[in-house]
Amino acid sequence: MASNGSNSERVNPVLRISQMDALELNKALEQLVWSQFSSCFHGFKPGLLAHIEPEVKAFLCLVLWRFTIYSKNATVGQTILNIQYKNDLSQTQKYQPLSKHQKLWYLICTVGGRWLEERCYDLFSSRQLESFCRIKHFINFVAGLLKLCGLLNFLIFLQKGKFATLTERILGIRSVFCRPQNVRQIGFEYMNRELLWHGFAEFLIYLLPLINMQKLKLKISSWSLPIAVFSNSENTLAAHCKECSVCGEWPTMPHTIGCSHVFCYYCIKSNCLFDMYFTCPKCGTEVYNLQPLKYKIEMTEVHT
């Protein structure tokens, strides 16, 4: 963090993307801490932490606040990205650390506000008195108003690049770089290759659902199988078509579609439901009329 010698140096403004990345890292850290903490109670009775979950989360966030904002003027995500908070109310270009009041109000607005949002519904859900209902409606109104103000603050942040959250704007704390940033060496060949690959991958993801893979598979398999020309009589079907043209097994409940090939009922029916333009994989005949094969095919004919 900033030393005494760095107080005489001018602060460096932080990029918008760096501030947003720091917020995402903070959220990821809180989720990781909570998941690790809750995993310690897997052997206990289910739902043990359900009744006190808001309080436990608030306590964990309090511990994080003690060792980050209170002691180092920066969150964990900001520390990773070489960022820290500056007291923007000092009206000076030199770095000024946060005051104790700003740190305490930051704790109240973040940890306390989140706890109140999670717990207020439980406090007033079982109350049916008119006064409690009014308080509940008031809290809902305030929560909606804060979200609207947060949206407006985010739009202003995108334009000016200061105060990523509403809490930072209200308390007058600003994100600055701890040390001057070095010029990034960008390999444009690597970036172009990555952009090209990601664009091609997105194109494939968009294109693959449009391709009828089942029909394409059957079409390719038909090229590798010999095409036999039979008459349309049922006797010829019984004598020569002793396997399903889709699965290659002995036809179960044999059916025809108007060509000289036989199909299992479930094979042809599922393919017709999947593809309304299904054609015979051996001869390419479209399904005109699905009819059962009246001629009885005996299993003993397989060995003849």
Side-chain angles (χ1 to χ4, degrees), residues 131-183:
S131 59
F132 286 105
C133 294
R134 290 180 180 179
I135 295 175
K136 183 178 180 181
H137 291 316
F138 176 75
I139 293 176
N140 291 334
F141 173 76
V142 173
L145 183 61
L146 289 176
K147 291 181 180 180
L148 179 61
C149 294
L151 175 61
L152 295 177
N153 176 80
F154 182 72
L155 296 177
I156 298 174
F157 164 73
L158 293 180
Q159 181 181 8
K160 298 184 177 181
K162 294 175 59 177
F163 308 117
T165 62
L166 185 61
T167 302
E168 296 177 2
R169 183 174 297 275
I170 294 175
L171 300 181
I173 56 179
R174 179 185 173 189
S175 298
V176 295
F177 280 119
C178 303
R179 296 178 298 275
Q181 294 294 98
N182 297 325
V183 179

Side-chain angles (χ1 to χ4, degrees), residues 22-79:
L23 294 177
E24 293 298 326
L25 288 173
N26 294 334
K27 294 178 182 178
L29 174 66
E30 293 177 1
Q31 294 177 357
L32 179 61
V33 172
W34 171 249
S35 63
Q36 293 294 327
F37 180 81
S38 59
S39 64
C40 300
F41 296 87
H42 283 174
F44 292 81
K45 182 180 178 180
L48 180 63
L49 298 177
H51 301 290
I52 58 173
E53 181 175 338
E55 287 73 18
V56 175
K57 288 185 177 180
F59 174 76
L60 295 177
C61 291
L62 175 62
V63 174
L64 291 176
W65 169 86
R66 172 59 182 83
F67 294 100
T68 55
I69 296 294
Y70 186 80
S71 60
K72 298 182 179 180
N73 295 315
T75 62
V76 176
Q78 290 177 329
T79 305

Side-chain angles (χ1 to χ4, degrees), residues 2 13 15 34 37 57 99 161 169 189 191 218 233 236:
L15 302 175
W34 171 249
F37 180 81
K57 288 185 177 180
S99 64
R169 183 174 297 275
E189 294 183 0
M191 292 181 62
L218 294 175
S233 63
T236 304

Side-chain angles (χ1 to χ4, degrees), residues 70-235:
Y70 186 80
S71 60
K72 298 182 179 180
N73 295 315
T75 62
V76 176
Q78 290 177 329
T79 305
I80 296 175
L81 299 176
N82 187 30
I83 302 173
Q84 63 182 354
Y85 277 133
K86 168 187 177 296
N87 186 357
D88 202 56
L89 300 178
S90 61
Q91 300 298 329
T92 177
Q93 296 297 330
K94 298 179 181 179
Y95 175 78
Q96 294 292 334
L98 302 182
S99 64
K100 291 185 177 181
H101 294 287
Q102 287 177 320
K103 295 177 181 178
L104 291 176
W105 277 109
Y106 183 90
L107 173 66
I108 294 173
C109 293
T110 55
V111 180
R114 191 181 309 168
W115 172 84
L116 182 61
E117 182 181 3
E118 295 178 356
R119 182 55 74 184
C120 66
Y121 296 103
D122 296 333
L123 295 177
F124 302 106
S125 59
S126 60
R127 309 283 183 168
Q128 299 298 332
L129 297 179
E130 184 178 357
S131 59
F132 286 105
C133 294
R134 290 180 180 179
I135 295 175
K136 183 178 180 181
H137 291 316
F138 176 75
I139 293 176
N140 291 334
F141 173 76
V142 173
L145 183 61
L146 289 176
K147 291 181 180 180
L148 179 61
C149 294
L151 175 61
L152 295 177
N153 176 80
F154 182 72
L155 296 177
I156 298 174
F157 164 73
L158 293 180
Q159 181 181 8
K160 298 184 177 181
K162 294 175 59 177
F163 308 117
T165 62
L166 185 61
T167 302
E168 296 177 2
R169 183 174 297 275
I170 294 175
L171 300 181
I173 56 179
R174 179 185 173 189
S175 298
V176 295
F177 280 119
C178 303
R179 296 178 298 275
Q181 294 294 98
N182 297 325
V183 179
R184 296 178 61 186
Q185 300 294 332
I186 303 176
F188 289 100
E189 294 183 0
Y190 172 78
M191 292 181 62
N192 292 336
R193 184 168 61 251
E194 288 296 314
L195 289 174
L196 180 62
W197 168 248
H198 285 297
F200 180 69
E202 291 179 359
F203 174 74
L204 287 180
I205 294 175
Y206 171 77
L207 184 62
L208 285 178
L210 302 179
I211 301 177
N212 192 334
M213 302 301 298
Q214 183 69 15
K215 186 174 182 179
L216 182 62
K217 178 181 177 181
L218 294 175
K219 190 67 176 178
I220 295 176
S221 62
S222 65
W223 294 342
S224 59
L225 296 176
I227 300 178
V229 179
F230 303 117
S231 63
N232 292 330
S233 63
E234 294 181 351
N235 293 335

Side-chain angles (χ1 to χ4, degrees), residues 275-290:
D275 181 13
M276 60 182 303
Y277 301 106
F278 177 77
T279 59
C280 178
K282 292 189 175 182
C283 63
T285 303
E286 296 183 0
V287 181
Y288 294 108
N289 189 13
L290 182 60

